[in-house]
Amino acid sequence: MKKQPDPLEPLILLKQDKIKQYLIDDHIKLEIFENITSTNDYLKSMTITEPIQICLAEQQAQGRGRLGRKWYSPFGENIYMSYLYTLQKDINELAGLSMVATLAVMKTLKFYGILDHLVVKWPNDVIYKNKKLAGALVDVKANVQRMSKVIIGIGLNVNTLQVSNPFSQGWTSMRKILGKYIDRNVLSANLINHLTKYLAQFNQHGFSYFIDEWMQVEFLLNKTITVENFNKKIKGVVVGINNQGQLMLQLPSGNIQSFSSGDTTIMKKKIIQ
Ligand code: BTN
């Protein structure tokens, strides 16, 4: 039987040396803060000295989610990580980036034994049994001549148990799923290693390299949904993801429309026969 989580277990805090001992690339600059407004905002405001810079925090006062939402960031419980990386890509080639980061998170979760019921929801949600487990948020810091400095923010619910968690949608955590407390040091290193590999592959091959991996776990595929984009709601059936990482929707007219951003909602009623 699955062990019930013990909410009184002591906190294991994040430590540089504990994380660094597991990193494959030892040139990464890693900073850890007890409290910060947002790890993404921190890297956005910093002068960049290294090709890869990572910021982790125990807590965020103003953690940001996609589409202007807040990201719940209580002290010492979860992963709030931002990863700064330089891509040889133009700004218009970055649509699939948050999806690539999401796939790296999936890889880490699978390593921890979370295999079944784990899906992605375009463009950046990791969902377990219909509940949100993680999300990615990409900010562009600079873009000059086919060179983009990007900040990839990852929020992963690790040890959070409280029922008062104010996520707007249903939420879950690794601890809830696995029934045990998780040391975020080893987990952070695992996630950094996967991100490093996935970002290098994205830099070299672009998003098309990841389409098959994404489609195997895309929750929205063949579902009738609405996409809310620039204050317009558009209905259709999800028929795939294109080479740029855009969501392809078949409209009631039969035409296909592609979206590079938007908020998706699954419809109960089918509108296309
Ligand atoms: C989403 O699913 O809406 C994306 C959530 C991203 C949250 C992370 S936590 C670390 C980084 N810093 C932030 O302010 N946001 C991202």
Side-chain angles (χ1 to χ4, degrees), residues 38-40 60 63-66 71 81-82 124 132 135-136 154-155:
S38 146
T39 53
N40 267 35
Q60 296 183 116
R64 290 190 288 116
R66 220 168 60 89
W71 189 258
M81 176 194 289
S82 295
N124 73 328
K132 183 140 171 170
I154 306 285

Side-chain angles (χ1 to χ4, degrees), residues 2-6 9 112 158-159 174-182:
K2 200 162 87 172
K3 193 179 152 231
Q4 286 308 305
D6 173 4
E9 230 154 337
Y112 274 77
V158 184
N159 289 314
M174 292 177 73
R175 188 175 179 186
K176 275 175 162 265
I177 297 166
L178 297 170
K180 62 177 184 202
Y181 184 87
I182 289 153

Side-chain angles (χ1 to χ4, degrees), residues 52-206:
I52 300 179
Q53 280 187 219
I54 293 175
C55 170
L56 276 162
E58 293 290 6
Q59 182 173 31
Q60 296 183 116
Q62 285 160 35
R64 290 190 288 116
R66 220 168 60 89
L67 305 169
R69 296 184 182 122
K70 288 196 171 127
W71 189 258
Y72 178 60
S73 312
F75 184 88
E77 296 186 4
N78 303 317
I79 286 188
Y80 320 115
M81 176 194 289
S82 295
Y83 190 119
L84 181 130
Y85 194 79
T86 304
L87 293 161
Q88 266 69 55
K89 298 218 174 287
D90 255 338
I91 204 146
N92 58 6
E93 296 174 282
L94 302 179
L97 182 57
S98 69
M99 300 164 77
V100 172
T102 304
L103 286 175
V105 176
M106 290 287 281
K107 204 79 184 170
T108 296
L109 292 168
K110 287 186 174 158
F111 178 84
Y112 274 77
I114 305 177
L115 304 166
D116 298 332
H117 311 291
L118 188 68
V119 291
V120 295
K121 186 155 101 42
W122 179 88
N124 73 328
D125 284 349
V126 176
I127 308 282
Y128 178 85
K129 290 192 179 171
N130 233 354
K131 291 176 174 167
K132 183 140 171 170
L133 179 55
L137 174 74
V138 170
D139 286 317
V140 179
K141 185 177 169 79
N143 173 253
V144 214
Q145 292 173 348
R146 282 212 91 233
M147 186 104 108
S148 298
K149 285 193 191 304
V150 292
I151 297 159
I152 299 127
I154 306 285
L156 169 59
N157 300 330
V158 184
N159 289 314
T160 281
L161 285 178
Q162 292 127 292
V163 286
S164 61
N165 187 322
F167 275 110
S168 53
Q169 69 189 102
W171 65 278
T172 191
S173 67
M174 292 177 73
R175 188 175 179 186
K176 275 175 162 265
I177 297 166
L178 297 170
K180 62 177 184 202
Y181 184 87
I182 289 153
D183 180 348
R184 292 166 303 139
N185 290 294
V186 187
L187 177 63
S188 302
N190 193 301
L191 181 56
I192 292 169
N193 288 338
H194 280 124
L195 276 166
T196 306
K197 181 176 155 203
Y198 273 62
L199 290 172
Q201 288 172 335
F202 177 69
N203 199 23
Q204 201 180 346
H205 308 290

